[in-house]
Amino acid sequence: MPNSHGSSPAAASDATANYSPRLCNEDLAPTRDQNWSWYNIFSFWMSDVHSMGGYVVAASFFTLGLASWQVLLCLLVGICIVQVCANLVAKPSQMAGVPYAVICRQAFGVFGANIPAVIRGLIAFAWYGIQTYLAANALMLVSLKFWPALSSLTHASWLGLSQLGWICFGIMWLLQAMVFWHGMSAIKRFIDVAGPAVYVVMVALAGWIVYKTGFDGISFTLASKALTGGEQAWQMLTATALVVSYFSGPLLNFGDFSRYGKSMGEIRRGNRWGLPFNFLLFSIVTVVIVSGTQSLFGRMIIDPIETVSMVGSDLAVAIGLLTMITATIGINIVANFVSPAFDFSNCSPQKISFRTGGMIAAVGSVLLTPWNLFQSPELIHYTLDVLGAFIGPLFGILLADFYLIKRSQISVDDLFDATPKGKYWYRGGFNPKAIVALLPSVAIGLVISFIPSLHAVANFSWFIGVALGAGSYRWIARGDVEKSTTQSYNAKVAMQKE
């Protein structure tokens, strides 16, 4: 539970009775179950890294024409940036025991927080459907492997998806909903198993590759491009930026999970093992597999599903693909289910619960027909750029407000106060300064994303957004810097628990 002077709002069972029903429900209120250890945080990042998307991203860095040490350096620097940012964004939610959407009230106002919450929720909307489609594809491969007669269901299609595709998508949709429906305790147990399970399959697959090709068939440089010194430096910067951009979504709403951490010490330890150590080890295993496919099959295969499907043993293929499915469910729940659940619940706490918010995202993901989105590489490219353009400024404003303006103080009771007396009421429940800082920062990021002549810097949209959002908000709100210490707010101020 959050530790505070006097009585702790997260600990007192009757404290929430005074919270506005327009701002609070059981899911959004400060949690009394801060029992996540470093291993649970470690497993969270394992589920995020050990996915088909993570596999492809890590594999692609070894095709840039860089030497292996350069690629590994980029991965290490990028993931260390993610680690630092994760520690920073985790602190306010861990202190107060509240999710990302509620913490945003401190910067944007108690009602203005719906702006960043809905933005993050809508981003998860689309990616939830895409990840479900990827998992459904893996399930379809398993089905066709063991029951070839099902191929007759792949001929006719509706809305761009075959009959078998719809069946597999529906099965994956239901499986994820079942895990989510049982709440955060079930999600915690699931990700504790999902991440390590993928390692077992990945290491086994790498061992099979090495057995087939020998160590001579493995190369840590998967492309033979002749790059100048300047080109190498640019490629390294780009690779580093892509690592951070890939994790930018889960990073923004990491508070949804850090709120359950026992202490910041446990969270920092989990981030240390779950990010630099875990990501580099995963990347090395990935490149062994990808490099081996070039030697074995005469071409480089960066799709893990395709690689697993080419293993000789039917049983091995089934186990491998089912594990990939498990991994995809893990990252989907972590990155794209929990976030909109809290975000949409924040918009109308009495009408939208955590479960209802998550199911809104699940149903919406089907209506988007995500397989059609995924079939357009150009659209996916622009989606990633737009994601960075929105998430970067939100991240920058959130941290600038907490660390530079509020001086790491949170008045927990005021996060749930819907009256002008509340500290985060600002102007009608909205903080105009945060909104003014957000709009131009996002606009500049979108301009960079959509103007062809600026595409060279589009991969850096997240960094540009963070700098613009944090810098502009710090300047606009410079007169609001807290001068007092915790004595000014007494029991209402949550304190960090190490």
Side-chain angles (χ1 to χ4, degrees):
M1 293 174 284
N3 187 23
S4 59
H5 292 303
S7 61
S8 168
S13 59
D14 59 342
T16 58
N18 299 319
Y19 291 168
S20 169
R22 299 173 65 189
L23 298 172
C24 186
N25 61 24
E26 183 181 354
D27 303 305
L28 298 177
T31 182
R32 291 187 293 273
D33 299 317
Q34 289 187 301
N35 53 16
W36 283 37
S37 68
W38 72 271
Y39 179 77
N40 301 127
I41 300 298
F42 169 61
S43 297
F44 163 85
W45 288 117
M46 287 182 80
S47 292
D48 200 21
V49 170
H50 301 174
S51 66
M52 286 178 276
Y55 181 101
V56 172
V57 169
S60 67
F61 292 156
F62 288 89
T63 68
L64 297 176
L66 301 173
S68 57
W69 70 268
Q70 291 174 315
V71 177
L72 291 174
L73 179 62
C74 294
L75 292 171
L76 182 60
V77 172
I79 209 66
C80 284
I81 293 173
V82 174
Q83 180 192 2
V84 171
C85 292
N87 289 337
L88 291 174
V89 80
K91 184 176 178 180
S93 285
Q94 195 282 327
M95 286 172 60
V98 296
Y100 157 78
V102 175
I103 281 296
C104 284
R105 296 173 185 174
Q106 190 176 31
F108 287 86
V110 289
F111 298 130
N114 287 329
I115 297 172
V118 169
I119 289 174
R120 178 65 184 98
L122 291 177
I123 288 171
F125 222 69
W127 284 108
Y128 176 81
I130 291 172
Q131 291 281 8
T132 302
Y133 167 65
L134 291 174
N137 249 1
L139 180 59
M140 189 160 63
L141 279 175
V142 174
S143 302
L144 291 173
K145 185 83 172 177
F146 288 93
W147 300 284
L150 292 176
S151 60
S152 61
L153 297 177
T154 62
H155 302 319
S157 65
W158 182 64
L159 295 178
L161 199 61
S162 68
Q163 291 175 286
L164 183 59
W166 274 108
I167 293 171
C168 293
F169 187 90
I171 291 172
M172 296 311 306
W173 192 93
L174 286 172
L175 285 175
Q176 292 173 127
M178 286 172 60
V179 175
F180 171 80
W181 196 258
H182 285 81
M184 286 302 297
S185 60
I187 293 173
K188 182 181 79 168
R189 290 194 297 270
F190 185 85
I191 63 177
D192 282 350
V193 174
V198 177
Y199 250 140
V200 174
V201 171
M202 292 286 287
V203 171
L205 187 58
W208 179 79
I209 291 283
V210 172
Y211 172 76
K212 288 290 187 179
T213 65
F215 286 104
D216 293 339
I218 306 298
S219 171
F220 279 88
T221 302
L222 301 182
S224 55
K225 300 176 184 177
L227 301 179
T228 64
E231 288 173 335
Q232 289 182 38
W234 180 255
Q235 291 281 34
M236 290 178 71
L237 285 174
T238 300
T240 302
L242 285 172
V243 173
V244 181
S245 295
Y246 176 76
F247 288 99
S248 63
L251 188 59
L252 180 65
N253 67 289
F254 183 49
D256 292 342
F257 299 90
S258 68
R259 69 182 294 210
Y260 299 104
K262 291 180 179 179
S263 67
M264 274 307 299
E266 290 286 310
I267 291 172
R268 282 191 289 265
R269 185 183 177 193
N271 288 342
R272 183 168 61 249
W273 285 101
L275 287 167
F277 174 81
N278 176 50
F279 189 64
L280 278 177
L281 182 58
F282 181 80
S283 300
I284 292 171
V285 173
T286 297
V287 78
V288 168
I289 297 171
V290 174
S291 178
T293 61
Q294 197 168 33
S295 301
L296 270 181
F297 309 112
R299 62 187 179 92
M300 186 175 62
I301 303 173
I302 62 172
D303 183 350
I305 295 178
E306 185 178 355
T307 303
V308 172
S309 66
M310 298 178 79
V311 176
S313 167
D314 286 349
L315 179 60
V317 170
I319 294 174
L321 289 176
L322 288 174
T323 307
M324 289 292 180
I325 291 171
T326 302
T328 304
I329 292 176
I331 187 177
N332 221 9
I333 290 175
V334 164
N336 303 318
F337 216 145
V338 172
S339 174
F342 284 124
D343 295 337
F344 293 138
S345 178
N346 188 73
C347 296
S348 183
Q350 296 307 303
K351 296 179 180 179
I352 304 176
S353 66
F354 175 77
R355 285 178 173 176
T356 305
M359 295 312 295
I360 289 173
V363 173
S365 70
V366 180
L367 300 178
L368 283 175
T369 61
W371 45 88
N372 291 321
L373 293 177
F374 189 73
Q375 288 172 359
S376 171
E378 183 179 7
L379 182 58
I380 291 296
H381 171 77
Y382 280 116
T383 300
L384 287 171
D385 292 342
V386 170
L387 182 148
F390 278 100
I391 288 183
L394 290 175
F395 188 86
I397 292 171
L398 183 66
L399 294 193
D401 180 78
F402 178 71
Y403 288 100
L404 303 180
I405 303 300
K406 301 302 193 299
R407 302 297 189 185
S408 300
Q409 297 180 123
I410 308 173
S411 182
V412 181
D413 289 350
D414 287 317
L415 291 172
F416 301 91
D417 191 342
T419 69
K421 295 180 181 179
K423 182 177 173 60
Y424 309 124
W425 177 257
Y426 296 109
R427 191 177 300 173
F430 295 80
N431 182 5
K433 295 177 180 178
I435 296 172
V436 168
L438 176 67
L439 294 178
S441 301
V442 171
I444 292 172
L446 292 177
V447 167
I448 292 172
S449 300
F450 288 105
I451 294 182
S453 60
L454 298 177
H455 278 180
V457 294
N459 289 326
F460 301 89
S461 60
W462 185 86
F463 289 91
I464 295 170
V466 170
L468 289 174
S472 58
Y473 180 73
R474 175 64 180 85
W475 185 80
I476 294 171
R478 61 191 182 281
D480 300 334
V481 176
E482 298 285 359
K483 299 180 177 63
S484 56
T485 58
T486 54
Q487 283 83 357
S488 299
Y489 304 110
N490 258 336
K492 295 199 297 181
V493 179
M495 300 297 293
Q496 179 178 340
K497 182 181 178 183
E498 291 291 345

